[in-house]
């Protein structure tokens, strides 16, 4: 056997490889992309589960978004406070600037409190029930109680009690999925520090509210008179509390004749 | 004229994706948006054109004189892999958005059988250097054309109500089949 049969292939293929290798090495220097070392740091502080809960393609994509300031450092729903603090340190921002939100159900019309308009036996979903004669409750604003919000909550934060969603404030991350699915727009997203809240959105007159529900806001204005911080306004027969002005004195809750106001922090 | 016919033949008649069924992976993978499919097509065009040229030079001036033609697969893959690496670096530098959009499919051009296919076809048909490049670029242009057409159709499909069973890949594969039938119409053109 001719030894050249081995040497030529080795030399030629090896030579080509070497040539391309050197070429690529030079190209790598020339086309080097400066990688922000903060991206690596943020990525290392993240849980690394690539769950996509932040809305990005994975932890690396989220880290890049954080560094380019497209995402908030608190955007990761899985991170605990320590991890967020670490990321904040890398980014040089105060972690306390992040704000937590929670969903709030603005209706107390469960099966006991709110009267049904008719006996509904169609598809058991709020959207379908809302289509039939404006819903199966006398109140045209209140919760229909079929638990569409319960179905969309991926954080297991909603439980249905007597035909009314109860939100677990600890589990709720304020993603707004329940708010978006509710056909009655009963659920709102409020900052976690919000305390006193009017649990009714009925704009009906007091008499009509009374006819359908025992715990609705009748727009009587007692809370407005009681409020020491001028935080309550009455519009369209409905009281609204400005959470920025509220001093948490609690007089509105005590004096409300229909018990429509409650302290969210106590639930 | 011959070169023009060769170009047309490579692009339409013997289209890599729809007649030879090579390079199906990126065809299905990166065809959700016209923009990214265009980027992918451009990257493949660049790699295919250069690969045809360099693999011709390697084959004609290194493998043949040394009588080691049997190593062509190794040599061609070496050429293609290096080119893809180079393209990857360039795209990462020039257009990070395209880089992230192409994702894993960019390094996968390395194993895109259309690219290796064009190099081997050039060799089997004994094309000259110019013919090889024209065949390579023609094939790549055909690839890009089909990618963009397919992505356009998929974008339209995306906006329509579909049976659950057809959603996603099934309808894409059906579409690809119909497109292949349509392209079969070019068969007797040349």
């Amino acid at each position: 056997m001719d030894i050249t049969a081995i040497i030529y292939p080795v030399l030629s293929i090896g030579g080509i490889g070497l040539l391309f290798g050197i070429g690529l090495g030079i190209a790598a220097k020339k086309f080097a992309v400066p990688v922000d070392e903060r991206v690596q740091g943020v990525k290392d502080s993240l849980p690394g589960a690539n769950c996509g809960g932040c809305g990005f393609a994975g932890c690396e994509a989220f880290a890049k978004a954080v560094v380019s300031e497209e995402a908030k450092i608190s955007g990761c729903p899985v991170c605990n406070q320590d991890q967020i603090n670490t990321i904040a340190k890398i980014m040089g921002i105060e972690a306390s600037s992040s704000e937590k939100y929670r969903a709030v159900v603005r209706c107390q019309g469960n099966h006991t409190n709110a009267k049904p308009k008719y006996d509904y036996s169609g598809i058991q979903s709020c959207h379908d029930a809302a289509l039939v004669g404006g819903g199966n409750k006398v109140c045209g604003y209140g919760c229909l109680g079929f638990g569409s919000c319960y179905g969309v909550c991926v954080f297991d934060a909603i439980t249905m009690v007597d035909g009314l969603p109860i939100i677990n404030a600890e589990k709720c991350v304020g993603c707004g999925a329940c708010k978006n699915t509710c056909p009655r727009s009963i659920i709102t997203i409020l900052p976690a520090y919000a305390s006193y809240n009017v649990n009714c959105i009925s704009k009906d007159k007091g008499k009509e509210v009374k006819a359908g529900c025992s715990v609705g806001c009748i727009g009587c204005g007692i809370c407005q008179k009681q409020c020491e911080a001028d935080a309550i306004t009455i519009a369209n027969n409905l009281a609204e509390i400005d959470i920025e002005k509220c001093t948490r004195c609690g007089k509105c809750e005590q004096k409300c004749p229909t018990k429509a106001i409650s302290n969210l922090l106590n639930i | 004229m011959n070169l023009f016919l060769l170009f047309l033949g490579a692009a339409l008649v013997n289209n890599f994706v729809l007649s030879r069924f090579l390079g199906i992976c990126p065809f299905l993978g990166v065809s959700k948006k016209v923009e990214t499919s265009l980027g992918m097509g451009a990257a493949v065009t660049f790699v295919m054109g250069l690969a045809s040229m360099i693999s011709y030079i390697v084959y004609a001036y290194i493998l043949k004189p040394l009588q080691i033609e049997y190593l062509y697969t190794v040599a061609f893959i070496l050429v293609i892999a290096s080119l893809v690496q180079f393209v990857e670096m360039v795209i990462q530098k020039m257009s990070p958005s395209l880089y992230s959009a192409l994702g894993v499919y960019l390094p996968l051009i390395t194993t895109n059988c259309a690219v290796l296919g064009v190099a081997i076809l050039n060799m089997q048909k004994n094309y000259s250097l110019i013919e090889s490049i024209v065949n390579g670029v023609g094939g790549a242009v055909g690839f890009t054309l089909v990618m963009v057409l397919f992505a356009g159709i998929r974008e339209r499909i995306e906006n329509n109500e579909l049976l659950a069973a057809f959603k996603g890949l099934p309808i894409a594969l059906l579409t690809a089949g119909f497109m292949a039938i349509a392209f079969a119409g070019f068969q007797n053109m040349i």
Side-chain angles (χ1 to χ4, degrees), chain B residues 99-147:
Chain B
Y99 179 75
S100 58
L102 291 177
V104 72
Y105 291 99
L106 190 55
L108 275 181
I109 301 178
T110 319
T111 49
N112 187 335
C113 39
V115 182
L116 184 63
V118 81
I120 291 179
L121 277 172
N122 288 339
M123 178 202 76
Q124 282 171 347
K125 297 208 169 170
N126 281 323
Y127 285 150
S128 70
L129 179 62
I130 302 294
E131 282 170 336
S132 294
I133 297 171
V134 169
N135 190 33
V137 174
V141 167
F143 179 84
T144 312
L145 177 74
V146 169
M147 284 276 288

Side-chain angles (χ1 to χ4, degrees), chain A residues 35-45 60 63 67:
Chain A
V35 179
D36 198 327
E37 55 189 37
R38 289 183 301 175
V39 174
Q40 190 61 35
V42 173
K43 195 182 144 206
D44 290 341
S45 323
E60 181 157 4
V67 172

Side-chain angles (χ1 to χ4, degrees), chain A residues 74-157:
Chain A
S74 55
C76 174
V78 186
C79 276
N80 56 31
Q81 197 58 46
D82 285 347
Q83 285 166 315
I84 292 174
N85 288 343
T86 323
I87 297 168
K89 204 182 264 174
I90 294 167
M91 291 297 297
I93 342 172
E94 282 290 317
S96 56
S97 62
S98 68
E99 206 168 87
K100 268 191 97 85
Y101 287 89
R102 57 170 294 193
V104 173
V105 180
R106 294 194 61 186
C107 180
Q108 298 185 103
N110 56 21
H111 291 327
T112 326
N113 294 334
K115 292 191 190 109
K117 197 195 285 181
Y118 56 86
D119 192 13
Y120 177 79
S121 57
I123 301 167
Q124 297 295 301
S125 100
C126 300
H127 291 269
D128 294 285
L131 291 174
V132 185
N136 61 335
K137 292 263 173 79
V138 173
C139 173
Y141 295 90
C143 177
L144 299 171
F146 293 99
S148 287
C149 48
Y150 169 75
V152 295
C153 184
V154 293
F155 297 97
D156 211 12

Side-chain angles (χ1 to χ4, degrees), chain A:
Chain A
M1 198 185 119
D2 195 354
I3 190 76
T4 54
I6 297 171
I7 289 174
Y8 283 162
V10 170
L11 282 184
S12 56
I13 297 292
I16 298 170
L18 192 70
L19 203 68
F20 284 140
I22 293 169
L24 282 180
I26 295 167
K29 277 264 165 65
K30 202 161 182 190
F31 291 103
V33 178
V35 179
D36 198 327
E37 55 189 37
R38 289 183 301 175
V39 174
Q40 190 61 35
V42 173
K43 195 182 144 206
D44 290 341
S45 323
L46 290 169
N50 290 318
C51 66
C54 51
F56 290 90
C59 290
E60 181 157 4
F62 176 68
K64 270 184 193 158
V66 166
V67 172
S68 58
E69 286 171 15
E70 282 163 24
K72 284 186 177 175
I73 49 169
S74 55
C76 174
V78 186
C79 276
N80 56 31
Q81 197 58 46
D82 285 347
Q83 285 166 315
I84 292 174
N85 288 343
T86 323
I87 297 168
K89 204 182 264 174
I90 294 167
M91 291 297 297
I93 342 172
E94 282 290 317
S96 56
S97 62
S98 68
E99 206 168 87
K100 268 191 97 85
Y101 287 89
R102 57 170 294 193
V104 173
V105 180
R106 294 194 61 186
C107 180
Q108 298 185 103
N110 56 21
H111 291 327
T112 326
N113 294 334
K115 292 191 190 109
K117 197 195 285 181
Y118 56 86
D119 192 13
Y120 177 79
S121 57
I123 301 167
Q124 297 295 301
S125 100
C126 300
H127 291 269
D128 294 285
L131 291 174
V132 185
N136 61 335
K137 292 263 173 79
V138 173
C139 173
Y141 295 90
C143 177
L144 299 171
F146 293 99
S148 287
C149 48
Y150 169 75
V152 295
C153 184
V154 293
F155 297 97
D156 211 12
I158 299 180
T159 42
M160 296 298 292
V161 179
D162 195 22
L164 195 69
I166 304 293
I167 291 170
N168 182 332
E170 276 172 26
K171 286 183 180 171
C172 180
V173 297
C175 67
C178 49
K179 176 193 169 194
N180 295 334
T181 198
C182 181
R184 300 282 204 155
S185 305
I186 289 161
I187 303 176
T188 49
I189 305 295
L190 292 179
Y193 61 81
S195 52
Y196 289 95
N197 180 52
V198 183
N199 295 315
C200 185
I201 56 163
S202 174
K203 295 191 174 84
D204 285 342
K205 292 214 171 78
K207 202 181 158 197
E208 292 161 35
V209 174
K210 270 288 192 191
C213 181
S214 61
V215 287
C217 173
I218 53 174
C220 63
I222 291 177
C223 50
Q224 189 182 25
K225 287 178 198 120
Q226 291 294 326
C227 184
E228 59 180 33
D230 212 10
I232 300 178
T233 48
I234 310 275
N236 300 318
N237 306 309
L238 184 64
E240 283 282 351
I241 298 176
D242 186 339
I243 54 168
E244 302 299 333
K245 287 185 187 167
C246 176
T247 54
R248 300 178 190 181
C249 65
K251 282 181 189 161
C252 51
E253 186 190 19
Q254 288 161 19
K255 299 287 179 181
C256 180
T258 56
K259 301 282 168 233
I261 297 176
S262 68
N263 187 349
L264 297 171
L265 300 177
N266 292 343
I267 300 172

